[in-house]
Amino acid sequence: MRALVGLAIGGSVGVTLALCAGLFRLGEDLVDATMQMLRTVPNVALIPLLIIWFGIGEAPKIALIALGTAFPLYLNVYAGIRNVDSTLIEAGRTLGLSRAGLIRHVILPGALPNALVGLRYSLGIAWLALVFGEQINATAGIGYLMANAREFFQTDVIVVCLVVYAFLGLAVDFTVRTLEKVLLSWRPAFSGT
């Protein structure tokens, strides 16, 4: 639940900022440099600051996950918007699409493959951040189990927790791949030989 809430918050922020920066020059000037600067700060190094700001409850754990997941979505959605084929945009203008029509029918569908790649990265980072987050004064969760197992040298419990994380990661990756097949059925792509 922590991973999903953090992903929802971080993803919303990342996508919103990417839309502002990708669709508007002023947005790019105001948002992109700040996001690039913040992206380089290690999330784990922010744990003490998050504890000071939000206390020891659920909020710092969710904030850590949100911070980790915002940047991959921001980068991929921004790149997807900026890499939409200019001939498609020109064709949309020629056909009389308004700016809103261009965004809805050309730019956003063109950026969708990158957005889904960003979602896959963000889901992976959500699980990584969850491990760190659940070691902040948690009383439940897989990260909590791993921290306790580390204290008592229970390597079998640690290995089981790692396997659980791996299967959770595989499950969410399968979910996003299925989402890609549904949402990108219009796009012919190389599927391997």
Side-chain angles (χ1 to χ4, degrees), residues 16-38:
T16 302
L17 291 174
L19 289 172
C20 290
L23 296 173
F24 308 104
R25 290 218 187 268
L26 179 62
E28 180 182 21
D29 293 341
L30 296 175
V31 173
D32 192 53
T34 305
M35 288 297 284
Q36 297 301 335
M37 179 182 65
L38 292 175

Side-chain angles (χ1 to χ4, degrees), residues 33-69:
T34 305
M35 288 297 284
Q36 297 301 335
M37 179 182 65
L38 292 175
R39 180 178 64 89
T40 61
V41 176
N43 291 341
V44 178
L46 296 174
I47 291 174
L49 191 58
L50 293 174
I51 291 172
I52 291 170
W53 284 348
F54 298 114
I56 305 178
E58 288 296 308
K61 298 169 186 68
I62 292 171
L64 182 67
I65 296 166
L67 283 170
T69 58

Side-chain angles (χ1 to χ4, degrees), residues 8 11 13 16 30 44 47 54 56 79 94 109 126 146-147 167 174-175 181:
V13 169
T16 302
L30 296 175
V44 178
I47 291 174
F54 298 114
I56 305 178
T94 301
M146 287 179 67
F167 279 117
F174 175 76
T175 304
K181 287 179 184 176

Side-chain angles (χ1 to χ4, degrees), residues 33 46 53 55 66 76 89 98 114 120 122 125 127 174-175 177 186:
L46 296 174
W53 284 348
N76 282 284
I89 294 173
S98 64
N114 284 53
R120 287 177 73 185
S122 290
I125 290 173
W127 293 121
F174 175 76
T175 304
R177 283 180 180 261
W186 54 269

Side-chain angles (χ1 to χ4, degrees), residues 16 24 32 103 121 132 141 144 169:
T16 302
F24 308 104
D32 192 53
I103 291 170
Y121 279 121
F132 291 110
Y144 169 74

Side-chain angles (χ1 to χ4, degrees), residues 153-170:
F153 300 103
Q154 297 171 320
T155 56
D156 57 336
V157 174
I158 293 172
V159 170
V160 168
C161 290
L162 291 173
V163 170
V164 168
Y165 273 123
F167 279 117
L168 287 171
L170 187 63

Side-chain angles (χ1 to χ4, degrees), residues 42-132:
N43 291 341
V44 178
L46 296 174
I47 291 174
L49 191 58
L50 293 174
I51 291 172
I52 291 170
W53 284 348
F54 298 114
I56 305 178
E58 288 296 308
K61 298 169 186 68
I62 292 171
L64 182 67
I65 296 166
L67 283 170
T69 58
F71 297 110
L73 271 165
Y74 169 80
L75 290 172
N76 282 284
V77 172
Y78 174 75
I81 290 170
R82 289 302 171 111
N83 290 324
V84 171
D85 190 354
S86 62
T87 56
L88 293 175
I89 294 173
E90 188 60 37
R93 286 187 181 134
T94 301
L95 293 172
L97 287 177
S98 64
R99 178 159 174 82
L102 275 174
I103 291 170
R104 182 169 180 250
H105 297 291
V106 178
I107 296 172
L108 293 181
L112 188 58
N114 284 53
L116 291 171
V117 169
L119 180 61
R120 287 177 73 185
Y121 279 121
S122 290
L123 283 165
I125 290 173
W127 293 121
L128 293 174
L130 183 65
V131 173
F132 291 110

